[in-house]
Amino acid sequence: MKQLNEFLIPFIGLKLGKHQFEYQVSNTFFTDFGFDEFEDASVKVTVVLEKKSTFMELTFKHKGTVNVPCDLTGEFFDLPVKGKINVVVQFGEQFNNDNEELLILPHGEHQIDIKQYIYEMIVLSVPLKKVHPGIKDGTLKTPTLDKLKELSVKDQNQGKQEEENDPRWDKLKKLLTDK
């Protein structure tokens, strides 16, 4: 994975208080992680770093679209995604990111790498089942659906009356009611 310097925040020179950073994430960001489930992506990420005397709070928000295939039809569509996560950054003896809401950086560290948090936040905001919006409202028109309608079996009994009952079955049914 390439080192993406734009996602390194040097916090050592920042004053106490809130600092905002904005990023535009495209599909190349995900290919650097080896993630190829998105055909295209356009997501705006806002990171607010609140620096306090002994720790920092990071608030990540994202909103945008990712181009994914529909799980039912295979047609690609732009799926809107949005989400938010919070991370508390503390200082300790050694690096520890086992907890998803707490990051411990070693004393003397001067910058924080946020690309992994951005990646996880966006990927986890995509639902497991991706359904094209045209399926939900019935407006999806594709060559595949047109061909399926053309080849579907026509109901041969349309307009015909139901066949009369077999008299043998009537006698059997009468046995059930003659108790």
Side-chain angles (χ1 to χ4, degrees):
M1 182 184 342
K2 289 193 282 185
Q3 179 71 15
L4 301 172
N5 290 332
E6 67 179 301
F7 296 103
L8 292 174
I9 298 177
F11 56 83
I12 198 75
L14 297 177
K15 296 180 182 179
L16 296 180
K18 292 186 178 185
H19 305 276
Q20 184 169 326
F21 303 90
E22 291 187 358
Y23 303 96
Q24 187 65 34
V25 176
S26 65
N27 203 37
T28 57
F29 175 81
F30 297 102
T31 56
D32 290 341
F33 279 93
F35 186 79
D36 59 355
E37 290 189 25
F38 300 156
E39 191 69 20
D40 192 23
S42 176
V43 181
K44 181 180 179 183
V45 178
T46 304
V47 180
V48 176
L49 183 142
E50 185 173 358
K51 186 174 179 184
K52 300 185 179 181
S53 58
T54 57
F55 67 96
M56 295 181 292
E57 289 183 67
L58 290 168
T59 303
F60 296 86
K61 291 182 184 177
H62 75 283
K63 187 174 185 175
T65 60
V66 291
N67 192 278
V68 293
C70 174
D71 289 335
L72 300 175
T73 64
E75 297 291 322
F76 284 91
F77 70 102
D78 287 333
L79 177 71
V81 292
K82 66 178 181 176
K84 176 182 175 182
I85 60 170
N86 296 317
V87 177
V88 174
V89 181
Q90 292 184 335
F91 297 95
E93 295 299 318
Q94 61 185 9
F95 179 84
N96 186 349
N97 65 350
D98 292 341
N99 189 333
E100 58 201 34
E101 296 177 356
L102 177 66
L103 172 65
I104 299 176
L105 293 176
H107 293 290
E109 190 71 33
H110 65 281
Q111 63 186 6
I112 183 170
D113 189 0
I114 60 169
K115 70 178 174 289
Q116 184 69 32
Y117 290 103
I118 293 173
Y119 167 76
E120 290 175 5
M121 175 181 63
I122 295 172
V123 169
L124 292 175
S125 69
V126 176
L128 289 176
K129 187 172 184 180
K130 300 169 285 293
V131 180
H132 194 289
I135 290 176
K136 294 177 184 174
D137 60 14
T139 61
L140 182 65
K141 301 289 184 209
T142 65
T144 307
L145 287 176
D146 294 340
K147 189 68 173 176
L148 185 63
K149 286 179 186 176
E150 178 185 319
L151 296 175
S152 67
V153 177
K154 309 288 189 272
D155 189 9
Q156 295 177 357
N157 292 331
Q158 281 181 338
K160 290 184 179 178
Q161 292 181 351
E162 207 175 300
E163 292 182 23
E164 293 186 27
N165 290 341
D166 188 356
R168 293 175 290 182
W169 288 111
D170 290 337
K171 289 182 180 180
L172 287 174
K173 288 179 187 174
K174 187 176 179 190
L175 287 175
L176 288 175
T177 58
D178 283 348
K179 291 184 181 179

